[in-house]
Amino acid sequence: MVAEAVFLTVRANLLFVLVLGDHKDRPYFGRDKQPEIVGANGLNCMIWFFTWLMAVEFIGLSALPAAVRLFRPLQDRGFLFAKPLGLLLVAYLAWLLGTFGIIRFYQSSITVIVIALGLGCWLVWGRETVQALSRLRKVVVASELLFLLGFALAAWIRAHNPEISGTEKPMDFAILNALYRTSSFPAEDPWMSGFSISYYYFGYLLIATLAKLSGVPAAVGYNLGVAVVFAMTLAGSFSLAFNLLSRLLPQWRVSSRLLGSLVAPLMVGVMGNLEGGLEILAARGIGDASFWKWIGVKGLEAAAQPTGWLPTAFWWWWRASRVIPTIKPDGIDEFPYFSFLLGDLHPHYTALPWTLLAVAVSLSALLGRKSVVGGAVEKLGIDWLQMVIPALALGFLLAGNSWDFPTYTFLFWACSMIPLSKLDWSRELLVRRFTTLFFISSLSVLLYGPFFLGFSSQTKGIALSTDKTPLPSMLILFGPFLFVAAAFLLWRLMAARGIGRIEWWDGSLAVVGVLLVLSSPLLGATSLIGGLLLLALGAIGRLLNFRLFAHKGDDVAAELFILVLVGLGLLLILGPEFVFLVDLFGTRMNTVFKFHYQAWLLLALGSSVAVVWMASALRPRGVNWLVTLVATLLVAVGLVYPLAATPAKIQESHSPATLDGAAFYRDIRPDDYAAIQWLSRTAVGRPVVLEATGGEYSEYARVSTFSGLPSVLGWAGHEVQWRGQGEEPQRRTRDIDAIYSKADRTTMLALLKQYHVRYVYVGTLEAEKYGQGVYNRFEGALDPVYRQGKVVIYRVPDTVVASGSAAGGG
């Protein structure tokens, strides 16, 4: 049976290569070119969708034995985490080997890595995998169906809202396209030639790896990348909830636990905050001016003449991500469904499946280290896989979304070190465990060492927060989670009563916590969150009372994990109320944004499991019904956002249904679209292109963004944010202006040589900025290689371009 599985894995990958990897027709198989998009009709969208899905499934199949081995303590053996784990392994190996020049970042190389990974995993752990999954057929089928449904629905929504335009999408696509086009690492910055990317780009690399492997064009891979991240987020939260409920409610049938686990993806990935419900009140004209001033959401007020149940204003759905009015310049507070609907392939969003992977690794460490059953202690030994994979997963967060790394490293340490019995206080055991964790954490940094070469940051230190989040804003953002957390914490504190001796500090924390929560209408959001955090600490302390561990039948590890998730989530909310990381904006905007995003995930996970557990076990029954009813109503209000915002966002799109995110540009600037497509197909390697530079969040940098080729300078402000200094972007801005309008021919050629420019692009934006005379400026000095409509592309002669890899070819 194992041999058959290995054979099927190899045969599937070889068939995948034969179908999608034609050397002659697909030059990106072995060269640095973009595949030509032959059309954006429905048939092509279906082909792209299924080839992408095949790539995801093949990678997941290849890494499945490693996941089953790693997640032995979990009920589902980590089946749904095989996909993000496999993609991480494949992309990491391609990146590492490409960094040291051992391979090229080609489709063929990635395919070989997938086959080698599959062969190695199935030969070593294949028998264990087949035996484990044969007992979990219902779980496997339900899990896979959830992933497929989530991916199909997400792809459909993206196809009806496909444009890579507005907000951060051009930046995201520029980096994705640059990684897609590169053949070696470190990849060159698409918006500042000659420099490597100084941004946590590993999430883009994972999507680029999938796009290259599947043969899907980068503009299509962008939208499918947004969709697959959403699907894997739903799947990962579902898996975690199922494993926790299997510990907490073992008396339930498997089908009941699977059904209850659906609450997690609903609360983590689908539900919005409560702002959607307020939109209905405003649309109906409910509430006076003082009420809406107290709510504090900018632009949200009662309609003077109600016409329906939902707002009709353009981009009304945007307000849900800008709830906090006290943060300057902008109180960003996204949540996963908003990020998905917006469609920015930004690091905080793309990291979601791998943050869930880090949570799963932490849960496995807790459950596998020691599980208490009737007072007996079961120990599972730690092998190399249990050290390397956690290090790889945690280290990815450094290179994929650095803000996540401290949070999930802390979670992993807590789950590995927190005492579950008196034996855990053994000095020898503590030293050994600390040494292992120190090795894993050090390895998580060392594994990604090459990423930090040339990397710089805009962080300037830590400062005290001078503003606070208003209580209405906090309730809008996290209301459902805070209610469930409060009910759950009080329940567990009351349930612990009578079991063992009550420690004075447990009771003190609980009393002070309740008083702070009750005082929050007067003291504000800080009092509410601080009080709940004290309740969480008190509940953890009561659970860690050693007499509890002698209480037969209690699965303290799963309950402890929920408490840690809730406590850590509350801490992430409370921290930015007092301190923040100083950046170029000079406020706590980014700190709140990043930490609240993490808090949403942790609180949603903990709350989703807690509410199902309470619905089953909370007594008396009247309290059970009340808590369940209120929680259901709050979640229902949260679901107003996706149900209302999704059709509104789709209606704002003016493109026909397609997965090609660049197709819209063909309609608004057809000459530029055709020229960029020609340049993308014609250019070999990564030659530098000169184009006009302009303001942030504009059409400027469109050549580098849509071709994947590096430009002398794209959005200068973003380069300053990435690197923390603006001297180089300022100098390049002056030089670009000189080349297009001011410099004499000798100076112009010298500047082109200085920046290793191979192509000079003159199109509609250049003419708008520098005047119509720009079309004649380069005649006689450079070789025109493309003319169509309002676009001319000049090739800089070899005698001018300095030698070196940056010069590229043509």
Side-chain angles (χ1 to χ4, degrees):
M1 188 174 293
V2 176
E4 181 181 0
V6 173
F7 171 73
L8 289 175
T9 303
V10 176
R11 188 179 70 173
N13 280 284
L14 289 175
L15 177 62
F16 183 73
V17 174
L18 291 174
V19 172
L20 302 177
D22 187 338
H23 291 253
K24 183 182 298 184
D25 297 331
R26 298 185 180 274
Y28 55 91
F29 190 91
R31 298 175 69 194
D32 300 334
K33 283 189 175 183
Q34 281 269 28
E36 183 175 1
I37 298 180
V38 296
N41 55 43
L43 178 59
N44 282 326
C45 286
M46 291 296 292
I47 293 174
W48 292 329
F49 173 85
F50 282 111
T51 53
W52 185 277
L53 180 59
M54 286 171 62
V56 174
E57 294 292 351
F58 287 153
I59 288 176
L61 178 63
S62 297
L64 181 58
V68 169
R69 177 69 178 180
L70 176 68
F71 295 113
R72 284 176 293 167
L74 303 188
Q75 180 71 21
D76 68 355
R77 302 300 292 267
F79 173 77
L80 282 172
F81 286 105
K83 294 180 178 67
L85 174 60
L87 183 54
L88 176 58
L89 290 170
V90 171
Y92 175 80
L93 290 173
W95 168 77
L96 187 66
L97 296 175
T99 298
F100 289 103
I102 299 173
I103 66 169
R104 295 297 231 172
F105 189 53
Y106 293 149
Q107 186 191 53
S108 54
S109 305
I110 299 170
T111 304
V112 170
I113 291 174
V114 175
I115 294 176
L117 176 66
L119 275 173
C121 289
W122 279 99
L123 287 173
V124 177
W125 301 300
R127 187 177 301 278
E128 178 183 350
T129 301
V130 173
Q131 292 174 350
L133 296 185
S134 64
R135 300 189 295 268
L136 297 169
R137 290 187 179 90
K138 186 179 292 188
V139 176
V140 168
V141 171
S143 301
E144 189 64 20
L145 284 176
L146 175 67
F147 170 77
L148 293 175
L149 180 63
F151 181 50
L153 181 61
W156 184 88
I157 293 174
R158 289 308 307 157
H160 287 79
N161 182 35
E163 301 95 337
I164 304 175
S165 175
T167 58
E168 300 288 355
K169 295 181 189 67
M171 169 205 146
D172 296 326
F173 188 48
I175 296 177
L176 174 67
N177 219 354
L179 291 167
Y180 186 98
R181 193 174 186 102
T182 193
S183 61
S184 60
F185 300 99
E188 189 173 5
D189 189 333
W191 282 357
M192 199 155 82
S193 60
F195 287 80
S196 59
I197 299 174
S198 183
Y199 195 60
Y200 22 83
Y201 61 79
F202 241 77
Y204 304 100
L205 178 63
L206 299 180
I207 305 303
T209 301
L210 266 179
K212 273 200 170 184
L213 177 64
S214 61
V216 169
V220 177
Y222 181 98
N223 283 316
L224 289 175
V226 174
V228 80
V229 166
F230 181 74
M232 288 195 292
T233 300
L234 298 185
S237 57
F238 175 81
S239 174
L240 286 164
F242 175 77
N243 286 295
L244 287 168
L245 289 176
S246 295
R247 290 275 180 152
L248 297 168
L249 298 169
Q251 70 275 17
W252 278 20
R253 299 173 59 182
V254 172
S255 56
S256 298
R257 279 179 270 142
L258 289 171
L259 188 62
S261 301
L262 290 174
V263 178
L266 191 72
M267 295 181 73
V268 172
V270 178
M271 188 179 78
N273 61 36
L274 300 183
E275 196 274 342
L278 294 172
E279 292 283 357
I280 294 180
L281 297 181
R284 299 303 300 165
I286 299 173
D288 57 16
S290 61
F291 171 77
W292 292 109
K293 182 179 180 180
W294 179 75
I295 290 296
V297 179
K298 185 178 180 180
L300 185 61
E301 58 187 16
Q305 297 180 339
T307 58
W309 286 93
L310 291 173
T312 57
F314 182 69
W315 269 40
W316 67 263
W317 50 270
W318 176 266
R319 285 194 287 257
S321 69
R322 301 298 190 273
V323 168
I324 306 176
T326 55
I327 299 177
K328 307 300 180 185
D330 204 3
I332 306 173
D333 220 306
E334 293 188 17
F335 46 90
Y337 192 84
F338 173 87
S339 303
F340 160 70
L341 190 62
L342 180 64
D344 287 0
L345 203 59
H346 234 42
H348 65 276
Y349 174 71
T350 55
L352 281 172
W354 290 274
T355 58
L356 288 169
L357 177 63
V359 174
V361 167
S362 300
L363 177 59
S364 183
L366 179 65
L367 299 180
R369 176 166 56 89
K370 290 180 180 179
S371 61
V372 180
V373 181
V377 178
E378 174 192 1
K379 297 182 182 180
L380 296 178
I382 297 178
D383 56 26
W384 67 269
L385 192 71
Q386 291 173 295
M387 290 192 288
V388 174
I389 298 301
L392 196 66
L394 293 172
F396 161 79
L397 299 178
L398 265 179
N401 187 35
S402 301
W403 292 83
D404 290 333
F405 179 74
T407 298
Y408 294 99
T409 298
F410 174 83
L411 178 64
F412 181 68
W413 273 69
C415 290
S416 300
M417 291 292 292
I418 199 164
L420 293 180
S421 75
K422 293 181 179 180
L423 296 177
D424 282 322
W425 292 108
S426 164
R427 181 177 180 181
E428 180 184 355
L429 187 61
L430 285 173
V431 171
R432 185 166 69 247
R433 195 171 294 155
F434 179 86
T435 303
T436 301
L437 288 172
F438 182 79
F439 172 78
I440 292 174
S441 297
S442 300
L443 187 61
S444 67
V445 177
L446 291 174
L447 286 173
Y448 293 86
F451 166 79
F452 299 100
L453 299 176
F455 183 84
S456 58
S457 173
Q458 60 166 309
T459 303
K460 300 179 179 179
I462 299 176
L464 297 177
S465 300
T466 57
D467 61 86
K468 297 289 185 280
T469 302
L471 181 61
S473 301
M474 193 68 75
L475 295 176
I476 293 170
L477 293 171
F478 300 108
F481 308 142
L482 298 180
F483 170 78
V484 172
F488 175 71
L489 293 173
L490 289 173
W491 175 49
R492 297 320 297 159
L493 282 168
M494 295 298 292
R497 188 177 55 183
I499 303 176
R501 182 168 56 88
I502 300 176
E503 300 291 344
W504 67 268
W505 63 274
D506 295 333
S508 299
L509 288 175
V511 171
V512 176
V514 170
L515 290 176
L516 285 175
V517 171
L518 293 176
S519 303
S520 58
L522 295 175
L523 301 180
T526 303
S527 176
L528 174 64
I529 303 303
L532 290 175
L533 180 58
L534 290 180
L535 287 177
L537 293 175
I540 292 173
R542 295 290 293 276
L543 194 61
L544 293 181
N545 185 328
F546 294 141
R547 286 174 173 78
L548 285 179
F549 289 85
H551 187 64
K552 191 172 182 178
D554 276 0
D555 192 336
V556 294
E559 179 181 346
L560 185 62
F561 191 76
I562 299 174
L563 291 172
V564 171
L565 289 180
V566 172
L568 184 55
L570 293 169
L571 182 61
L572 289 169
I573 298 175
L574 187 64
E577 298 299 308
F578 297 97
V579 296
F580 68 95
L581 291 177
V582 182
D583 54 21
L584 293 176
F585 295 101
T587 70
R588 66 185 185 116
M589 179 182 73
N590 270 330
T591 302
V592 170
F593 171 28
K594 300 293 188 178
F595 282 2
H596 279 199
Y597 206 77
Q598 298 170 25
W600 178 287
L601 183 106
L602 296 173
L603 289 174
L605 271 175
S607 298
S608 61
V609 178
V611 77
V612 174
W613 189 18
M614 285 192 293
S616 170
L618 180 60
R619 297 293 181 270
R621 187 170 296 275
V623 176
N624 186 326
W625 278 100
L626 178 62
V627 170
T628 304
L629 177 62
V630 174
T632 301
L633 289 175
L634 288 172
V635 171
V637 175
L639 290 175
V640 168
Y641 183 83
L643 294 175
T646 304
K649 183 71 161 61
I650 289 175
Q651 290 170 7
E652 291 167 2
S653 173
H654 301 292
S655 298
T658 178
L659 288 170
D660 177 11
F664 79 100
Y665 211 61
R666 179 175 51 219
D667 299 325
I668 64 173
R669 292 193 185 268
D671 291 340
D672 282 303
Y673 177 85
I676 294 171
Q677 289 292 309
W678 176 87
L679 186 61
S680 180
R681 294 192 306 268
T682 304
V684 178
R686 290 180 53 76
V688 178
V689 178
L690 179 71
E691 59 179 319
T693 185
E696 309 295 292
Y697 306 103
S698 67
E699 283 188 58
Y700 287 100
R702 83 281 196 202
V703 179
S704 51
T705 296
F706 287 103
S707 69
L709 300 174
S711 63
V712 176
L713 185 66
W715 291 356
H718 275 58
E719 289 291 345
V720 175
Q721 291 180 41
W722 298 344
R723 302 177 186 279
Q725 55 85 24
E727 293 79 8
E728 183 69 18
Q730 292 172 6
R731 180 172 66 85
R732 291 188 176 218
T733 299
R734 293 192 298 268
D735 289 344
I736 291 172
D737 290 340
I739 293 172
Y740 275 111
S741 62
K742 302 174 184 177
D744 56 37
R745 177 169 295 188
T746 301
T747 304
M748 176 188 70
L749 293 176
L751 288 172
L752 292 175
K753 181 177 181 179
Q754 175 183 334
Y755 291 111
H756 306 288
V757 174
R758 173 61 74 184
Y759 294 101
V760 175
Y761 188 97
V762 181
T764 50
L765 288 183
E766 285 71 24
E768 290 173 9
K769 183 170 184 177
Y770 299 108
Q772 295 298 317
V774 74
Y775 284 108
N776 300 319
R777 176 165 175 76
F778 303 100
E779 295 294 335
L782 307 178
D783 304 324
V785 292
Y786 178 92
R787 292 182 188 271
Q788 181 174 320
K790 298 179 180 179
V791 178
V792 182
I793 299 177
Y794 296 92
R795 188 178 188 275
V796 180
D798 294 336
T799 55
V800 175
V801 179
S803 60
S805 59

